Amino acid sequence: GMGNNSYSIDFGDRNSVTPYWACAVEGPSGCVISSSHTYRSAGNYTAILSRGSCVVPKQHIADASYCGLPAGVLGTATITVK
């Protein structure tokens, strides 16, 4: 399988972690994640994209590729709001 992990984005302003969601679109280089967010005040923020853990249903327990890649932080970006 292409992986059944879930994903989240923490926009860095303490009240904006998006819920985990499964990868809906597989692009040429993997899962395509998009989201939008409005910051309420100026400043520098660090956004963090994370891959969540994967729960394997019993019927897929023998499929080593069911979960795709391991959980963890995929990347960060600094966002400056003026």
Side-chain angles (χ1 to χ4, degrees), residues 2 25-32:
M2 292 296 290
V25 179
E26 289 287 347
S29 59
C31 187
V32 176

Side-chain angles (χ1 to χ4, degrees), residues 30-71:
C31 187
V32 176
I33 299 292
S34 66
S35 187
S36 63
H37 180 68
T38 301
Y39 289 94
R40 295 177 186 217
S41 57
N44 291 322
Y45 301 91
T46 300
I48 303 170
L49 172 64
S50 299
R51 180 174 30 243
S53 58
C54 173
V55 177
V56 183
K58 287 182 181 179
Q59 67 267 31
H60 294 287
I61 204 75
D63 181 0
S65 66
Y66 183 83
C67 280
L69 299 170

